[in-house]
Amino acid sequence: MTVITEAEAFPLTVRVGPELMLMQPVGRNAVEGLDEAYTEACLDFTSGIQSTGTTIDARWKVAPDHSHVLLLLHGSAPKPFELAVRFTLKTARERRFFVDVAGHADAGRVSLWIYPGKEDAARAAVALQKQDLSLFGSLGIGVESDLHCRTLHRLGREPRPAA
């Protein structure tokens, strides 16, 4: 069963050449199994010892009425979990953010990184700017290196009529 949590914040974005990096806070305790994934990813990155690894797949889902977007995270290692992070869309500017992400994905790559909190995402962005890749990599999990964002284009069109 998928656990749904409200987004703590919209993703922090960093452009690195042709790549757009989305840095999303997702609490360690949002779903059972995510804490283990954060721990495993940090150990893999900092110790150099390959463990069981961390496997998380991600995809977007847009509500038919455009009231929200879900970031669906499906973890299979080290422990299975299903989590949906809900971004409630109240303004045209918020919808435009996701349309812009989709547009960037059409021309380049969009990668997704998750962090235990907003402060960790901000620290990772600063570490990336300072080219401190060791700190950057130890703070979160690289989920997708080329996130499929095509479905987000729906937010640029009129919502489907209510049934």
Side-chain angles (χ1 to χ4, degrees), residues 4 47 49 89 93 101 103 133 136 140 154-155:
I4 299 173
S47 71
I49 299 170
L89 305 176
R93 183 174 181 235
V101 167
L133 300 183
F136 170 77
R154 291 181 188 160
L155 293 167

Side-chain angles (χ1 to χ4, degrees), residues 24-56:
Q24 180 60 44
V26 180
R28 294 182 88 94
N29 60 355
V31 65
E32 186 177 334
L34 186 55
D35 183 52
E36 289 86 346
Y38 277 121
T39 301
E40 231 19 73
C42 183
L43 285 173
D44 284 348
F45 193 82
T46 58
S47 71
I49 299 170
Q50 182 62 39
S51 64
T52 57
T54 302
T55 305
I56 303 172

